[in-house]
Coordinates of all heavy atoms in Angstrom, one line a residue:
A186 N 0.8 -1.2 0.0 CA 0.0 0.0 0.0 C 0.9 1.3 0.0 O 0.6 2.2 -0.7 CB -0.9 0.0 1.2
K187 N 1.9 1.3 0.8 CA 2.7 2.5 0.9 C 3.4 2.8 -0.4 O 3.5 3.9 -0.9 CB 3.8 2.3 2.0 CG 3.2 2.3 3.4 CD 4.3 2.2 4.5 CE 3.7 2.1 5.9 NZ 4.8 2.0 6.9
H188 N 3.9 1.7 -1.1 CA 4.5 1.9 -2.4 C 3.5 2.4 -3.4 O 3.8 3.3 -4.2 CB 5.1 0.5 -2.9 CG 5.6 0.6 -4.2 ND1 6.8 1.3 -4.6 CD2 5.3 -0.1 -5.4 CE1 7.1 1.1 -5.8 NE2 6.2 0.3 -6.4
E189 N 2.3 1.9 -3.4 CA 1.2 2.3 -4.3 C 0.9 3.8 -4.0 O 0.7 4.6 -5.0 CB 0.0 1.4 -4.2 CG 0.2 0.0 -4.7 CD -0.9 -0.9 -4.3 OE1 -1.8 -0.5 -3.6 OE2 -0.9 -2.1 -4.8
I190 N 0.8 4.2 -2.8 CA 0.5 5.5 -2.4 C 1.5 6.5 -2.9 O 1.3 7.5 -3.5 CB 0.3 5.7 -0.9 CG1 -1.0 5.0 -0.5 CG2 0.2 7.2 -0.5 CD1 -1.2 4.8 1.0
A191 N 2.8 6.1 -2.7 CA 3.9 7.0 -3.2 C 3.9 7.1 -4.7 O 4.1 8.2 -5.2 CB 5.2 6.3 -2.8
Q192 N 3.5 6.1 -5.4 CA 3.5 6.2 -6.9 C 2.3 7.1 -7.3 O 2.4 7.7 -8.4 CB 3.2 4.8 -7.5 CG 4.5 3.9 -7.5 CD 4.3 2.7 -8.3 OE1 3.2 2.1 -8.3 NE2 5.3 2.2 -9.0
N193 N 1.3 7.1 -6.5 CA 0.1 7.9 -7.0 C -0.1 9.2 -6.4 O -1.1 9.9 -6.6 CB -1.2 7.0 -6.7 CG -1.3 5.9 -7.6 OD1 -1.7 6.0 -8.8 ND2 -0.9 4.7 -7.1
D194 N 0.9 9.7 -5.6 CA 0.8 11.0 -4.9 C 0.6 12.1 -6.0 O -0.2 13.0 -5.7 CB 2.1 11.3 -4.1 CG 1.9 10.7 -2.7 OD1 0.8 10.5 -2.3 OD2 2.9 10.6 -2.0
E195 N 1.3 12.0 -7.1 CA 1.3 13.1 -8.1 C -0.1 13.1 -8.7 O -0.5 14.2 -9.2 CB 2.4 12.8 -9.1 CG 3.8 12.9 -8.6 CD 4.8 12.7 -9.6 OE1 4.4 12.5 -10.8 OE2 6.0 12.7 -9.3
N196 N -0.8 12.0 -8.7 CA -2.2 12.0 -9.3 C -3.3 12.2 -8.3 O -4.5 12.0 -8.7 CB -2.4 10.7 -10.0 CG -1.3 10.5 -11.1 OD1 -0.9 11.4 -11.8 ND2 -0.9 9.2 -11.3
D197 N -2.9 12.5 -7.1 CA -3.9 12.7 -6.0 C -4.8 11.5 -5.8 O -6.0 11.6 -5.5 CB -4.8 13.9 -6.3 CG -4.0 15.2 -6.4 OD1 -3.0 15.3 -5.6 OD2 -4.3 16.1 -7.2
D198 N -4.3 10.3 -6.0 CA -5.1 9.1 -5.8 C -4.8 8.4 -4.5 O -5.4 7.3 -4.2 CB -4.7 8.1 -7.0 CG -5.3 8.5 -8.3 OD1 -6.3 9.3 -8.3 OD2 -4.8 8.1 -9.3
A199 N -3.9 8.9 -3.7 CA -3.6 8.3 -2.4 C -4.8 8.1 -1.5 O -5.0 7.0 -0.9 CB -2.5 9.1 -1.7
E200 N -5.7 9.1 -1.5 CA -6.8 9.0 -0.6 C -7.8 7.9 -1.1 O -8.3 7.2 -0.2 CB -7.6 10.4 -0.6 CG -8.8 10.4 0.4 CD -9.4 11.7 0.4 OE1 -8.9 12.7 -0.2 OE2 -10.5 11.8 1.0
D201 N -7.9 7.7 -2.4 CA -8.8 6.7 -2.9 C -8.2 5.3 -2.5 O -9.0 4.4 -2.2 CB -8.9 6.7 -4.4 CG -9.7 7.9 -4.9 OD1 -10.4 8.4 -4.0 OD2 -9.5 8.4 -6.0
I202 N -6.9 5.1 -2.6 CA -6.3 3.9 -2.2 C -6.5 3.5 -0.7 O -6.9 2.4 -0.4 CB -4.7 3.9 -2.5 CG1 -4.5 4.0 -4.0 CG2 -4.1 2.7 -1.9 CD1 -3.1 4.1 -4.4
L203 N -6.4 4.5 0.1 CA -6.6 4.3 1.5 C -8.1 3.9 1.8 O -8.4 3.1 2.6 CB -6.2 5.6 2.3 CG -4.7 5.8 2.4 CD1 -4.5 7.2 3.1 CD2 -4.0 4.7 3.2
L204 N -9.0 4.6 1.1 CA -10.4 4.3 1.2 C -10.8 2.9 0.8 O -11.7 2.3 1.3 CB -11.3 5.3 0.5 CG -11.3 6.7 1.0 CD1 -12.0 7.7 0.0 CD2 -11.9 6.8 2.4
N205 N -10.0 2.3 -0.1 CA -10.3 1.0 -0.6 C -9.6 -0.1 0.2 O -9.8 -1.3 -0.1 CB -9.8 0.9 -2.1 CG -10.6 1.7 -3.0 OD1 -11.8 1.9 -2.8 ND2 -10.0 2.2 -4.1
Q206 N -8.9 0.3 1.2 CA -8.3 -0.7 2.1 C -9.4 -1.5 2.9 O -10.3 -0.8 3.4 CB -7.3 -0.1 3.1 CG -6.1 0.5 2.4 CD -5.3 -0.4 1.5 OE1 -4.9 -1.5 2.0 NE2 -5.1 -0.1 0.3
P207 N -9.3 -2.8 3.0 CA -10.3 -3.5 3.8 C -10.3 -3.2 5.3 O -9.3 -2.7 5.8 CB -10.0 -5.0 3.5 CG -8.5 -5.0 3.2 CD -8.2 -3.7 2.5
D208 N -11.4 -3.4 5.9 CA -11.5 -3.3 7.4 C -10.5 -4.1 8.0 O -10.4 -5.3 7.8 CB -12.9 -3.7 7.8 CG -13.1 -3.6 9.3 OD1 -12.2 -3.3 10.0 OD2 -14.2 -3.9 9.8
P209 N -9.6 -3.5 8.8 CA -8.4 -4.3 9.4 C -8.9 -5.4 10.3 O -8.1 -6.4 10.5 CB -7.6 -3.3 10.1 CG -8.6 -2.1 10.4 CD -9.5 -2.1 9.2
D210 N -10.1 -5.4 10.8 CA -10.5 -6.4 11.7 C -11.4 -7.5 11.1 O -11.8 -8.4 11.7 CB -11.3 -5.8 12.9 CG -10.5 -4.9 13.8 OD1 -9.3 -5.2 14.0 OD2 -10.9 -3.8 14.2
K211 N -11.7 -7.3 9.8 CA -12.5 -8.3 9.1 C -11.7 -9.5 8.8 O -10.6 -9.5 8.3 CB -13.1 -7.7 7.8 CG -14.0 -8.7 7.0 CD -14.5 -8.0 5.7 CE -15.4 -9.0 5.0 NZ -15.9 -8.4 3.7
M212 N -12.3 -10.7 9.2 CA -11.6 -12.0 8.9 C -12.0 -12.5 7.6 O -13.1 -12.5 7.2 CB -12.0 -13.0 10.0 CG -11.7 -12.6 11.4 SD -9.9 -12.4 11.7 CE -9.3 -14.1 11.6
F213 N -10.9 -13.0 6.9 CA -11.1 -13.6 5.6 C -10.8 -15.1 5.7 O -9.9 -15.5 6.5 CB -10.3 -13.0 4.5 CG -10.6 -11.5 4.3 CD1 -9.9 -10.5 4.9 CD2 -11.7 -11.2 3.4 CE1 -10.2 -9.2 4.7 CE2 -12.0 -9.9 3.2 CZ -11.3 -8.9 3.9
C214 N -11.5 -16.0 5.0 CA -11.4 -17.4 5.2 C -11.3 -18.2 3.9 O -11.9 -17.9 2.9 CB -12.6 -17.9 6.0 SG -12.6 -19.7 6.3
V215 N -10.5 -19.3 4.0 CA -10.4 -20.3 3.0 C -10.4 -21.6 3.6 O -9.6 -21.9 4.6 CB -9.1 -20.1 2.1 CG1 -9.0 -21.3 1.1 CG2 -9.2 -18.8 1.3
L216 N -11.3 -22.5 3.2 CA -11.3 -23.9 3.6 C -10.4 -24.8 2.7 O -10.6 -24.7 1.5 CB -12.7 -24.5 3.7 CG -13.8 -23.7 4.5 CD1 -15.1 -24.4 4.3 CD2 -13.4 -23.6 5.9
V217 N -9.5 -25.5 3.3 CA -8.6 -26.3 2.5 C -8.5 -27.7 3.0 O -8.9 -28.0 4.2 CB -7.1 -25.7 2.5 CG1 -7.1 -24.3 1.9 CG2 -6.5 -25.7 3.9
S218 N -8.1 -28.6 2.1 CA -7.9 -30.0 2.5 C -6.7 -30.0 3.5 O -5.7 -29.5 3.3 CB -7.5 -30.9 1.3 OG -6.8 -32.0 1.7
I219 N -7.0 -30.7 4.7 CA -5.9 -30.7 5.7 C -4.7 -31.5 5.2 O -3.6 -31.2 5.6 CB -6.5 -31.3 7.0 CG1 -5.7 -30.8 8.2 CG2 -6.6 -32.8 7.0 CD1 -6.4 -31.0 9.6
R220 N -4.9 -32.5 4.4 CA -3.8 -33.2 3.8 C -3.0 -32.3 2.9 O -1.8 -32.4 2.8 CB -4.3 -34.5 3.1 CG -4.9 -35.5 4.0 CD -5.2 -36.8 3.2 NE -5.7 -37.8 4.0 CZ -6.1 -39.0 3.6 NH1 -6.0 -39.3 2.3 NH2 -6.5 -40.0 4.4
S221 N -3.7 -31.5 2.1 CA -3.0 -30.6 1.2 C -2.1 -29.6 2.0 O -1.0 -29.3 1.7 CB -4.0 -29.8 0.4 OG -4.6 -30.6 -0.5
F222 N -2.7 -29.1 3.1 CA -1.9 -28.1 3.9 C -0.7 -28.8 4.6 O 0.3 -28.2 4.7 CB -2.8 -27.5 5.0 CG -2.3 -26.3 5.6 CD1 -2.2 -25.1 4.8 CD2 -1.9 -26.2 6.9 CE1 -1.7 -23.9 5.3 CE2 -1.4 -25.0 7.4 CZ -1.3 -23.9 6.6
L223 N -0.8 -30.1 4.9 CA 0.3 -30.8 5.5 C 1.4 -31.0 4.5 O 2.6 -30.9 4.8 CB -0.1 -32.1 6.1 CG -0.7 -32.0 7.5 CD1 -1.3 -33.4 7.9 CD2 0.3 -31.6 8.5
K224 N 1.0 -31.2 3.2 CA 2.0 -31.3 2.2 C 2.8 -30.0 2.0 O 4.0 -30.0 1.8 CB 1.4 -31.8 0.8 CG 0.9 -33.3 0.9 CD 0.3 -33.7 -0.5 CE -0.1 -35.1 -0.4 NZ 1.0 -36.1 -0.4
F225 N 2.0 -28.9 2.0 CA 2.7 -27.6 2.0 C 3.7 -27.5 3.1 O 4.8 -26.9 3.0 CB 1.6 -26.5 2.0 CG 2.1 -25.2 2.6 CD1 3.1 -24.5 2.0 CD2 1.7 -24.9 3.9 CE1 3.6 -23.3 2.7 CE2 2.2 -23.8 4.5 CZ 3.1 -23.0 3.9
L226 N 3.3 -27.9 4.3 CA 4.1 -27.7 5.5 C 5.4 -28.4 5.4 O 6.3 -28.2 6.2 CB 3.3 -28.1 6.8 CG 2.2 -27.1 7.1 CD1 1.3 -27.6 8.3 CD2 2.7 -25.7 7.5
S227 N 5.5 -29.4 4.5 CA 6.8 -30.1 4.3 C 7.9 -29.1 3.8 O 9.1 -29.4 4.0 CB 6.7 -31.2 3.3 OG 5.8 -32.2 3.7
S228 N 7.5 -27.9 3.4 CA 8.4 -26.9 2.9 C 9.2 -26.2 4.1 O 10.0 -25.4 3.9 CB 7.7 -25.8 2.1 OG 6.8 -25.1 2.8
H229 N 8.8 -26.6 5.3 CA 9.6 -26.1 6.5 C 11.1 -26.3 6.4 O 11.9 -25.6 6.9 CB 9.0 -26.7 7.8 CG 9.4 -28.1 8.1 ND1 10.6 -28.4 8.7 CD2 8.8 -29.2 7.8 CE1 10.7 -29.7 8.8 NE2 9.7 -30.2 8.3

């Protein structure tokens, strides 16, 4: 976001970018196969 705001300062779009930021407390969710997630965790 900060990088995008810096790029758009000259175009006065910084306020629009901030307004489009999601509610910081809103939870987003994805349901995944637990086996799939364990396969990913092998990347530890």
Side-chain angles (χ1 to χ4, degrees):
K187 291 181 180 179
H188 175 65
E189 290 170 354
I190 291 170
Q192 281 189 325
N193 287 281
D194 271 341
E195 296 180 2
N196 300 324
D197 297 324
D198 288 337
E200 184 176 350
D201 290 340
I202 292 174
L203 288 173
L204 290 173
N205 290 330
Q206 296 303 306
D208 178 356
D210 295 323
K211 181 179 179 180
M212 300 297 291
F213 297 96
C214 177
V215 173
L216 303 179
V217 298
S218 157
I219 203 164
R220 290 185 178 182
S221 292
F222 197 68
L223 278 170
K224 287 181 181 293
F225 149 71
L226 289 171
S227 297
S228 63
H229 75 86

